[in-house]
Amino acid sequence: MFKKIYQWHHRIGLLVSIPVLGWCISGLTHPMMAHLFKIKPAQRFVVPQPVALDTTSIALGEALEQHGITSFSNFRLVHFEKETYYQIIREGKETEYINVKNNTLLNNGDQRYAEYLARYFLGDEQHPIASLTKLNQFTFEYKFINRLLPVYKVSFDRSDGMDVYVETNSSRLGTMNNRTRKICIAIFSYLHNWNFLQGMPKLKLFLMLLFMIMAFGVAFSGLVIYGFLWKRVFPTHAVEAKNRKWHRRIGLMVAISTLGFAFSGGYHALAKANTAQVISEKAPVFSSTEVKQLPALVRKIGDRLVKNISIVSIDQVNYFQVNWMEKATETSYFKTTTLEHLGKGEERYAIYLANQYTQLPAKKIVSVTPIQAFGGEYGFINKRLPVTKIQYDTKQQHSVYVETSSGKLAATISASKRLEAFSFLMLHKYHFIDPIGKTVRDIIIVIIMIGIILVNVLGIVLWLNRPIVR
């Protein structure tokens, strides 16, 4: 019986060795990108400046009329190249930039602003731009993990092949990729995520789960055989004994980790395949006449410093959204027709967005909380800040995170998703080691990965050196 267990351990181990080696080798690219090949932006955020609107500024309504813009999805103010512009965002059309002082339309404004942001974040004013491309969907090198869309891919004519991705509608950095990171992304995509099966999602999921179950079985049987039964199973051949000894020792050290990687990886793949599609909220369309009261709003604000002004729709009523400069956490809402202040406007808009995106019952809301920093279940991977958390008392205890400044859904987290995320963060990414340092965590992961690679290689060597029965 023991011999049979060993034989199946070896046979299945051989079958799963190539996928496991691919997962481990590609898994090493993450800590490598985080430490060895890390790109440090010169700036991570655009430093906000007070809105430069006064009695000498051109009224937005007048500017829109002069340039023949009858409708738009939103507007805000941006400052670059020593000038302030109305940024006019239009769904499905090019974003326009109108100078607030002289009412001139900036030619190729969105591309110029994208280049400005890319140079600002990278800290490179010298190298020429090789190409500039607008992306409306995620790509092989700009993946869903970056969250922001649409973005511009700004490629620099540099020896490192640097690409900078920026979102002009929010003045944010998406990510930066140089040639080394692109190679790491490709390795991870093909060997870890199996992008070569991207067009066959069901086959990809089936094979991934099959090999992860096999990897789990091999690790478990190895733990039993080498931990408890090995002296009963193996004769003491000189050559094989040495290889088997190290296969056993290293295997026992990484067996528990292998079980964790296989379980959490399979759970994660299955959860991703069954993720419910989020309802896509169509951007509102505002008539240019909706902003005719903007000059009166500027006068009402007076000397109080403002970070930005835009427009939103809440339950079919339109409001100016004012982000104050001195209190980053404070946002006010004024009706576009009467400039009447909306009480608890930020909370009401957050609830409106959450209900629009998720269709969860409003009567189930138990709390609304502003979130100013990444942490807990809302981690850095979600990209957007500040956001508002709307907690629902549903069976799945849904938490919905919305970004009111952009009107975007940042994240929807349920009880089942929390469980899967906990499994992945603890068993796959080892976040339980974070208290003693992320560098220490990554070193431990690298050691474990190398250990699993060695166990697989030694297992193959044992098979190649097996006695052949004639």
Side-chain angles (χ1 to χ4, degrees):
M1 178 185 173
F2 298 148
K3 288 282 187 180
K4 287 288 184 185
I5 295 174
Y6 169 69
Q7 287 172 358
W8 281 108
H9 169 82
H10 223 171
R11 288 167 184 169
I12 298 173
L14 285 169
L15 285 174
V16 81
S17 61
I18 298 302
V20 169
L21 286 171
W23 283 325
C24 290
I25 292 168
S26 57
L28 292 173
T29 63
H30 261 218
M32 287 169 66
M33 285 192 287
H35 299 282
L36 298 179
F37 309 131
K38 188 175 182 179
I39 301 173
K40 293 183 179 180
Q43 302 289 338
R44 293 188 178 275
F45 307 98
V46 173
V47 178
Q49 297 185 13
V51 166
L53 287 180
D54 53 36
T55 55
T56 65
S57 301
I58 303 295
L60 177 57
E62 179 185 338
L64 294 173
E65 183 180 359
Q66 179 174 325
H67 295 288
I69 300 173
T70 58
S71 63
F72 59 94
S73 297
N74 214 330
F75 79 91
R76 66 190 193 106
L77 291 109
V78 298
H79 184 85
F80 73 103
E81 296 178 351
K82 300 180 180 180
E83 298 286 350
T84 301
Y85 298 89
Y86 291 118
Q87 184 190 61
I88 313 301
I89 302 167
R90 296 187 292 171
E91 190 75 7
K93 296 183 179 180
E94 191 74 10
T95 300
E96 305 283 7
Y97 294 74
I98 303 173
N99 194 298
V100 301
K101 292 298 181 183
N102 56 35
N103 203 11
T104 57
L105 192 67
L106 184 66
N107 291 327
N108 299 316
D110 213 28
Q111 291 87 344
R112 289 173 66 174
Y113 189 47
E115 179 180 340
Y116 167 81
L117 289 174
R119 292 189 181 280
Y120 174 82
F121 290 128
L122 186 59
D124 186 341
E125 299 292 336
Q126 305 299 322
H127 289 89
I129 302 298
S131 65
L132 193 149
T133 310
K134 189 172 185 178
L135 304 179
N136 292 305
Q137 58 187 10
F138 297 106
T139 66
F140 183 79
E141 291 180 349
Y142 185 75
K143 297 185 181 295
F144 174 74
I145 195 172
N146 295 297
R147 298 296 195 271
L148 306 179
L149 275 181
V151 295
Y152 280 93
K153 175 186 176 182
V154 185
S155 301
F156 285 78
D157 187 9
R158 303 188 348 171
S159 59
D160 60 357
M162 180 66 73
D163 296 332
V164 181
Y165 296 83
V166 295
E167 184 184 51
T168 55
N169 290 352
S170 64
S171 305
R172 273 190 287 215
L173 172 66
T175 191
M176 294 179 177
N177 290 333
N178 58 19
R179 191 169 288 108
T180 305
R181 281 182 64 88
K182 291 174 195 175
I183 293 171
C184 289
I185 289 170
I187 292 171
F188 194 84
S189 297
Y190 285 118
L191 298 184
H192 214 89
N193 292 338
W194 291 14
N195 269 36
F196 54 87
L197 294 175
Q198 196 64 31
M200 297 175 281
K202 290 184 178 179
L203 176 62
K204 173 183 171 181
L205 178 63
F206 172 76
L207 291 176
M208 274 195 158
L209 290 177
L210 176 63
F211 282 118
M212 286 178 191
I213 291 170
M214 290 167 66
F216 188 94
V218 169
F220 182 77
S221 61
L223 190 61
V224 172
I225 293 168
Y226 289 109
F228 304 101
L229 307 175
W230 74 287
K231 286 186 178 179
R232 301 184 190 180
V233 178
F234 304 120
T236 55
H237 290 90
V239 176
E240 285 193 329
K242 184 177 181 182
N243 290 333
R244 193 173 287 124
K245 178 178 67 176
W246 285 107
H247 181 72
R248 171 182 179 270
R249 287 178 177 176
I250 301 172
L252 288 173
M253 287 189 284
V254 300
I256 300 299
S257 296
T258 305
L259 292 171
F261 285 140
F263 172 79
S264 58
Y267 191 4
H268 185 66
L270 191 61
K272 282 180 68 176
N274 292 294
T275 300
Q277 293 296 312
V278 175
I279 296 172
S280 179
E281 177 65 8
K282 190 175 181 180
V285 177
F286 301 99
S287 168
S288 58
T289 58
E290 282 293 327
V291 297
K292 63 183 180 181
Q293 288 282 53
L294 183 59
L297 176 65
V298 173
R299 291 193 295 271
K300 182 174 182 175
I301 290 171
D303 295 332
R304 190 174 180 186
L305 296 180
V306 171
K307 187 190 301 181
N308 222 315
I309 303 175
S310 56
I311 189 171
V312 301
S313 180
I314 307 174
D315 294 321
Q316 299 183 336
V317 180
N318 300 329
Y319 297 89
F320 289 117
Q321 182 190 61
V322 181
N323 296 296
W324 302 105
M325 191 76 187
E326 69 272 23
K327 290 185 178 180
T329 60
E330 185 181 350
T331 303
S332 299
Y333 294 76
F334 300 90
K335 202 170 181 179
T336 57
T337 53
T338 63
L339 300 186
E340 178 186 354
H341 180 258
L342 178 66
K344 295 186 177 180
E346 183 77 342
E347 181 176 312
R348 291 173 67 174
Y349 185 42
I351 291 172
Y352 169 78
L353 288 173
N355 291 341
Q356 291 295 110
Y357 278 114
T358 65
Q359 304 293 300
L360 292 169
K363 63 182 181 181
K364 291 287 187 177
I365 295 173
V366 294
S367 65
V368 180
T369 310
I371 305 295
Q372 301 296 327
F374 295 115
E377 68 179 22
Y378 189 77
F380 177 76
I381 192 174
N382 294 293
K383 298 292 184 182
R384 300 181 183 277
L385 273 182
V387 295
T388 303
K389 175 185 177 182
I390 298 89
Q391 183 63 49
Y392 290 81
D393 186 21
T394 56
K395 185 178 180 180
Q396 281 285 316
Q397 292 295 302
H398 287 91
S399 297
V400 180
Y401 296 82
V402 294
E403 184 182 49
T404 56
S405 63
S406 66
K408 301 287 187 181
L409 175 68
T412 301
I413 301 174
S414 60
S416 56
K417 197 170 181 179
R418 288 187 191 95
L419 183 62
E420 187 278 318
F422 180 82
S423 160
F424 194 71
L425 291 175
M426 298 301 162
L427 300 180
H428 214 86
K429 302 184 78 172
Y430 280 38
H431 278 228
F432 62 88
I433 304 177
D434 284 356
I436 60 175
K438 293 181 179 180
T439 301
V440 175
R441 178 196 70 193
D442 288 343
I443 290 172
I444 291 172
I445 290 174
V446 168
I447 292 171
I448 292 170
M449 291 289 185
I450 292 172
I452 296 172
I453 291 170
L454 287 173
V455 168
N456 273 265
V457 171
L458 287 170
I460 294 170
V461 170
L462 285 172
W463 180 80
L464 292 174
N465 290 334
R466 74 195 186 285
I468 298 174
V469 179
R470 296 184 183 277

